[in-house]
Amino acid sequence: DYMPNLSRVKEQSIRFNKHYTPSYIAAGTFNTEFQVHTSLLPATGGIPTYVYERNSFPYALPKLFGGAGYTARSFHNSGGDIYSRGAIHPNLGYESYTSGADMGMEETSMDRYLINGFEEMVKEEPFFSTVITFSPHGNYGPDTPVYLAHPEAQRIAKNQEGFFPNAVAGAMETDLFVGALMEKLEESGHLEDTVVVFYTDHYNYYLQNDALIMEMKGVDNMNLIRHTEFFIYAQGQEPMDVEKVTGSVDVLPTLSNLFGLDTQGAFLVGHDALGDQGGYVFFEDGSWYDGETYWDSSSDDDGNAHRRAEIAWLINLNNALLRGDYYAARTGG
């Protein structure tokens, strides 16, 4: 009801229905952004954050697509100083980072104006363009431009508690961009050969009501509350539901498989969501979920020893790779 354009796209997509976005660092947005782009976990355990700007990431999505002949660009409402995207995105392989000011957005908090950058998004085919939306983002209040632009949100919100109508207004605003994007792709003739991937960076903690969100999602803990959206649209693709459990780190291996990108020699924490491996997600506290069993690391139950060992191995290798800048050391560059 709040996002009819996005819902129509999702109905025609490959839908990963058990997708989760673990948060290893406080910056939920960048946390997921890094995992999706590299299939690695963010730096923890005393690893300096400058690794994102300085380390070598030859298997990041923009570099993989760039190696396959695509022009890679990223677009977002905010300036390049937010999460240092102006420095990190080029290091991951994007040729440019385009801000809301660069796109001439009339109001940078309102996603409808992201469509201003459309010509740059589809420039120099083939293209790999990442667009990061913003409007459902907090902080919420009665005087924000997004909320004021959608007075109907207060009326149609199925829940009137706290900031829920603000979240509805943000969803409606983002949906305007999704509708405009799909329309522009069709009008320009790009829709027939463009794949559109949607994923969510984190659950909406800006509601400041985790109990309500857990009730809506039918879960009872702060790990499973991170159940979010991930789906892939391609015109003519038969819609399908994938019930395998996936996480943010599984996006890159999945796209690499679908597009035939070369990841030989890469260390990837995630797995191809359409393949036989993986099928579980682990969270920052060591808990994991495989679609049937949720194991809580704080419980008295020892759980699956093999899986716990595998998770520990992945985390240790991941941190060693970041700490030692493994790919640069391997190539001597």
Side-chain angles (χ1 to χ4, degrees):
D1 293 341
Y2 309 142
M3 305 188 78
N5 293 310
L6 188 68
S7 295
R8 279 193 293 271
V9 177
K10 182 180 176 181
E11 287 173 1
Q12 303 171 62
S13 298
I14 303 173
R15 301 173 289 265
F16 301 89
N17 294 327
K18 295 180 180 177
H19 184 72
Y20 293 82
T21 54
S23 183
Y24 292 88
I25 54 177
T29 297
F30 180 73
N31 170 91
T32 304
E33 197 171 309
F34 182 72
Q35 291 183 66
V36 166
H37 277 76
T38 63
S39 193
L40 296 172
L41 306 176
T44 57
I47 301 173
T49 56
Y50 63 67
V51 299
Y52 306 122
E53 299 180 28
R54 302 182 188 177
N55 278 21
S56 175
F57 297 105
Y59 298 100
L61 273 176
K63 288 189 177 177
L64 289 173
F65 274 102
Y70 289 70
T71 300
R73 297 186 178 89
S74 61
F75 302 81
H76 183 45
N77 314 50
S78 300
D81 56 327
I82 304 298
Y83 296 129
S84 300
R85 288 189 179 102
I88 293 173
H89 279 207
N91 190 45
L92 295 176
Y94 286 110
E95 295 186 13
S96 61
Y97 172 82
T98 303
S99 69
D102 297 330
M103 286 181 272
M105 294 180 68
E106 289 87 331
E107 168 53 58
T108 55
S109 68
M110 298 175 68
D111 285 341
R112 70 183 73 183
Y113 299 122
L114 280 168
I115 203 64
N116 290 3
F118 179 77
E119 294 303 322
E120 287 295 314
M121 295 172 191
V122 301
K123 189 177 178 181
E124 295 180 38
E125 300 178 27
F127 52 82
F128 172 71
S129 292
T130 292
V131 185
I132 306 167
T133 60
F134 181 82
S135 292
H137 198 285
N139 294 322
Y140 291 150
D143 300 320
T144 63
V146 171
Y147 188 64
L148 293 174
H150 295 275
E152 69 274 31
Q154 180 68 55
R155 176 177 54 82
I156 69 172
K158 292 182 175 62
N159 188 300
Q160 298 294 328
E161 293 184 45
F163 292 123
F164 194 89
N166 286 87
V168 171
M172 296 172 73
E173 180 63 30
T174 298
D175 197 57
L176 292 178
F177 167 67
V178 174
L181 175 65
M182 301 306 289
E183 184 177 316
K184 284 277 193 180
L185 286 171
E186 186 167 22
E187 288 177 353
S188 60
H190 287 101
L191 192 60
E192 62 187 24
D193 62 356
T194 299
V195 175
V196 191
V197 181
F198 293 87
Y199 75 90
T200 311
D201 55 355
H202 54 76
Y203 81 98
N204 193 347
Y205 46 71
Y206 291 105
L207 277 179
Q208 300 180 31
N209 192 337
D210 289 339
L212 173 62
I213 297 175
M214 282 192 276
E215 178 184 344
M216 294 172 64
K217 293 190 175 187
V219 300
D220 59 2
N221 67 73
M222 290 302 295
N223 282 329
L224 296 184
I225 199 175
R226 303 179 194 280
H227 184 198
T228 58
E229 294 285 357
F230 170 36
F231 51 94
I232 301 174
Y233 170 87
Q235 192 175 71
Q237 165 68 43
E238 187 71 24
M240 61 182 290
D241 292 299
V242 177
E243 301 301 332
K244 177 181 178 180
V245 172
T246 59
S248 306
V249 291
D250 297 320
V251 175
L252 183 151
T254 304
L255 294 182
S256 296
N257 168 45
L258 292 173
F259 282 88
L261 304 176
D262 184 8
T263 58
Q264 186 174 358
F267 170 72
L268 306 177
V269 175
H271 301 88
D272 174 13
L274 299 172
D276 297 329
Q277 295 181 312
Y280 71 93
V281 61
F282 59 91
F283 303 92
E284 59 271 25
D285 64 356
S287 302
W288 53 262
Y289 178 62
D290 64 5
E292 295 181 1
T293 301
Y294 172 73
W295 180 73
D296 188 336
S297 61
S298 65
S299 69
D300 295 331
D301 177 12
D302 288 339
N304 184 318
H306 175 75
R307 180 158 292 166
R308 286 191 289 110
E310 181 179 8
I311 291 171
W313 176 77
L314 287 169
I315 292 173
N316 288 335
L317 277 181
N318 178 90
N319 289 345
L321 182 147
L322 292 177
R323 188 178 292 110
D325 195 3
Y326 166 72
Y327 291 119
R330 189 178 72 178
T331 60

